[in-house]
Amino acid sequence: MADAGPSEAERQGQLRWGTAAGRGALLATVLGSSLTFLSATSINIALPALARDLDVGVAALQWTVNAYTLTLAALVLLGGSLGDRFGRRRMFIVGTVWLTVTSLLCGIAPDSNTLIVARALQGIGGALLTPASLAILQSSFVPEDRSRAVGAWSGLAGVATAIGPLVGGWMVELWSWRLIFLVNLPLAVVVLVAAVRYLPETRDPGPAPRLDHLGAALAAVGLGAITATLTALGGGGLSPPMFLVGLLGVAAIAGFVVVERRSSHPMVPPAIFRSRQFTGANLVTLVVYGVLGGAFFVLTLQLQVVLGYSAVGAGAAELPITVLMLLLSARAGALAERIGPRLPMTVGPVIVAAGLLLLSGVDADSTYWTGVLPGMCVLGLGLSATVAPLTATVLAAVDPKLVGVASGVNNAVARAAGLLTVAA
């Protein structure tokens, strides 16, 4: 007998762990958000092949990577707010379709300029999709299953991030860097089918009478300008025009804070930061994702340039992190639900630091088994203990009607943290 899909109770936000509808919702949200993470990480390891194919230099490669992150970081707050207002399922589907179309544009781009523009457009899809996916889980699963669902999302999304270099290297060697983008098309079809069939529609039941257009514009300009400035700084220098762009970004963020405090319909209600749990979890996000952004950037280069690994070999070297997060993240989320998030979020970053300390000793004389693998395993354990409780804590700390905004804030913090450390 064919699966009849979710029941009416499930469609009203009562999804349960282990049911067909719960698994379908998790499939849609995890695979959908994984498309955004893979789009961010898989391209890094393909840059040498891309440079040869399109005959471009370092500056073009830098913008190929960062154009996506720039629009994603700049618009993710707006994406969360739009989901709360117009429907998270609707924004998730719109974001998936947008990401799919722009992935096709990236895959067929004839030159670097077209590719950079397509990458910037691709980031808009990620900004709509990612906060909606988390908000759907938080608002749709029954309270006792939410931490497990969010933990599974966090772990599997972390797996997608960690496995990106391996996937990218394999696709480059299989055919071309273009396959990194084109593979999103069939995956997106699976996401859309699962989303239409299993995802319930949720939204803020009492939205403001109109969107916070000024706040959205200031947030986009501020995050975009700061991101562009950090990108230029990471490229080796900061020209006077880019310095002014940076000042504009800082001024826009300051203006955003003022507007949100005074607005009758703020995009990010200031009261959300009165929760010490929410503020503390975002500070942990800033540190953890900042450290990881810089560490993975350097590590991927270290494995290829210093140790001489191939693109596939460098990606495969990071597989222990992927396997550990796949096995342990959902369990870590369930543990945090039982004992509270404080202990996992304290012990986890300490283990992450120990793993990075081990990896800092990797040099040209290091072997994989004694030099690289131990640090990878310890790092994977630390991330497994940290990521799921961290994400669940952020979402649980706010009113359920604001989970889209909370997810957008947390994603913006994570993206900005990675950009800052890579530039530094």
Side-chain angles (χ1 to χ4, degrees), residues 8 97 111 229 293 306 321 379 415:
E8 182 62 27
V97 172
D111 53 57
T229 304
V306 179
I321 298 175
L379 181 57
R415 304 302 170 190

Side-chain angles (χ1 to χ4, degrees), residues 349-386:
V350 173
I351 300 175
V352 168
L356 293 174
L357 183 62
L358 289 173
L359 289 172
S360 69
V362 173
D363 57 26
D365 297 324
S366 299
T367 66
Y368 178 73
W369 298 106
T370 61
V372 178
L373 181 60
M376 292 289 188
C377 290
V378 174
L379 181 57
L381 287 172
L383 288 175
S384 299
T386 303

Side-chain angles (χ1 to χ4, degrees), residues 7-25:
S7 67
E8 182 62 27
E10 288 169 327
R11 286 201 174 277
Q12 291 177 0
Q14 297 298 310
L15 297 180
R16 300 199 67 95
W17 183 266
T19 63
R23 288 191 294 269

Side-chain angles (χ1 to χ4, degrees), residues 150-165:
V150 172
W153 183 95
S154 302
L156 293 170
V159 167
T161 302
I163 206 173

Side-chain angles (χ1 to χ4, degrees), residues 302-315:
Q302 183 84 346
L303 292 175
Q304 292 187 78
V305 177
V306 179
L307 276 71
Y309 287 23
S310 66
V312 172

Side-chain angles (χ1 to χ4, degrees), residues 128-147:
L128 295 174
L129 189 160
T130 306
S133 66
L134 260 178
I136 288 168
L137 293 181
Q138 181 69 13
S139 58
S140 299
F141 274 83
V142 295
E144 57 267 28
D145 289 340
R146 284 174 188 166
S147 290

